[in-house]
Amino acid sequence: MYVIVWEFVPKADCEVEFARKYGPGGEWAALFKRAQGFVGTELLRDERRPERFVTVDRWASEEAFRQFRVQFGEQYETLDHECEIMIEQERRIGSFTPVLGE
């Protein structure tokens, strides 16, 4: 498993549209689903700062994500550019892998 976490603060008048595009049924998930190795995505809203959202994108492996970026890089960049207009702040928190038990 390979997990990528992003933090977003959409513009105040764009929160509904942001949630539509970035949620599990949104355009980002639809693009990711076209790739082999995509596991799922979550959109989480901060309880203390409701203007702040986090996306959690799960892939079977880092290689699966890299292949997605190669295969769908142009579509990724186009969608990213289209979504910029509604974003106040965006930050990649990081990439994570599970800690295996003993």
Side-chain angles (χ1 to χ4, degrees):
M1 182 76 63
Y2 181 70
V3 179
I4 303 170
V5 180
W6 288 85
E7 173 187 51
F8 294 93
V9 176
K11 293 178 181 174
D13 60 339
C14 296
E15 287 183 355
V16 172
E17 182 64 18
F18 170 83
R20 263 194 286 250
K21 287 189 182 279
Y22 285 81
E27 290 180 47
W28 280 106
L31 176 59
F32 294 160
K33 286 177 185 175
R34 295 174 62 191
Q36 191 170 11
F38 175 66
V39 176
T41 192
E42 291 178 87
L43 177 62
L44 307 172
R45 187 174 209 158
D46 191 320
E47 290 183 350
R48 293 182 187 199
R49 289 184 47 212
E51 73 280 4
R52 179 178 175 242
F53 294 82
V54 174
T55 60
V56 180
D57 303 321
R58 290 182 174 79
W59 295 85
S61 65
E62 183 177 0
E63 180 59 27
F65 175 70
R66 289 183 190 278
Q67 286 294 85
F68 158 75
R69 287 300 307 264
V70 168
Q71 187 176 4
F72 297 99
E74 187 175 319
Q75 294 93 323
Y76 182 100
E77 294 301 326
T78 298
L79 184 55
D80 189 51
H81 182 70
E82 289 173 6
C83 291
E84 283 178 355
I85 195 167
M86 73 177 86
I87 305 297
E88 187 74 38
Q89 294 175 21
E90 176 180 0
R91 177 176 70 101
R92 182 175 171 152
I93 293 174
S95 323
F96 303 86
T97 55
V99 176
L100 302 177
E102 297 177 26

